[in-house]
Amino acid sequence: MKNAIIMIAMLAFSTAVVKAQSTDSIDHRNTFAFGIKAGVNLSNVYDEEGEDFVADDRYGWVAGAFGTIPFGKLFGLQPEILYSQKGFKSSGTFLGATYELSRKTEFIDLPFFVAIKPIEYVTILVGPQFSFLLKQTDEFKSNNLTSTQIEEFDNSNLLKNIIGLSAGADINLDHFVIGVRFGGDLKKNDGDGNSSTPRYKNMWYQATVGYKF
């Protein structure tokens, strides 16, 4: 999946460069715009304490909306709101019995990007991301035992969130936008003025296709 995302980015970038060299269309970098997007996440978790932790990647859906706020042709802001599935898969042996664990987490992600626009068809993005956990589903399988646990979360306190960092690029082809991202969690805010560094943090790669109005 990571190689596929890189190949998509290289193909889209090459297409954008060829298009930029072969057309005389209007430059839209200084225009406000709104768009929708959808795609796929490849996510996992990593151990903050650096101990051995083996987990497999998990695929999930991502979809949402974005806006572009220009400050001239070269710079701007790009806020987004996304429904994003993350998680991981793991397997092993405990007391002689093999097991499989699959965790799916559902988030509302709010990335707030600084946009750098060297040419009309390429936008480089980097910035913080605020994530609100909506639901967590754990599926556990071991021999003849299967268990599913679902937990939903209250997000009425907007200060209770996870702060992360995300970066990537958009390739703008007329109204269509091909986006690639990577990111990871940094801190968890408890909503009471305190924050913590979770031992296990989400990290993800993301590929989307969007339409800009």
Side-chain angles (χ1 to χ4, degrees), residues 185-203:
D185 294 340
L186 297 176
K187 287 280 188 179
K188 179 179 179 182
N189 288 334
D190 298 326
D192 56 3
N194 296 317
S195 64
S196 60
T197 301
R199 176 173 177 178
Y200 300 105
K201 300 179 181 180
N202 294 293
M203 60 180 183

Side-chain angles (χ1 to χ4, degrees), residues 28-136:
H28 296 285
R29 284 180 288 174
N30 204 24
T31 304
F32 288 89
F34 169 80
I36 56 176
K37 63 193 299 187
V40 64
N41 284 336
L42 179 68
S43 62
N44 208 323
V45 292
Y46 67 96
D47 186 356
E48 174 67 23
E49 297 184 6
E51 297 182 5
D52 291 337
F53 178 77
V54 179
D56 296 323
D57 299 333
R58 180 187 177 94
Y59 292 98
W61 297 108
V62 59
F66 63 94
T68 60
I69 306 171
F71 293 99
K73 286 186 176 181
L74 297 180
F75 298 98
L77 298 176
Q78 182 165 312
E80 301 184 356
I81 179 169
L82 305 170
Y83 165 77
S84 183
Q85 293 180 347
K86 303 171 189 172
F88 65 92
K89 295 181 178 180
S90 182
S91 61
T93 303
F94 182 72
L95 297 179
T98 58
Y99 69 88
E100 295 181 359
L101 172 64
S102 175
R103 171 169 292 178
K104 180 177 72 174
T105 50
E106 301 174 49
F107 286 89
I108 294 295
D109 286 341
L110 301 175
F112 193 78
F113 293 114
V114 173
I116 303 170
K117 301 170 283 186
I119 60 175
E120 179 184 0
Y121 301 100
V122 177
T123 304
I124 301 170
L125 302 161
V126 61
Q129 175 170 297
F130 302 90
S131 299
F132 300 87
L133 181 58
L134 302 177
K135 187 177 180 180
Q136 178 174 299

Side-chain angles (χ1 to χ4, degrees), residues 111-114 123-129 164-170 179-184 204-206:
F112 193 78
F113 293 114
V114 173
T123 304
I124 301 170
L125 302 161
V126 61
Q129 175 170 297
L165 184 65
S166 184
D170 282 347
V180 290
R181 306 278 192 275
F182 66 92
W204 62 93
Y205 296 88
Q206 184 181 101

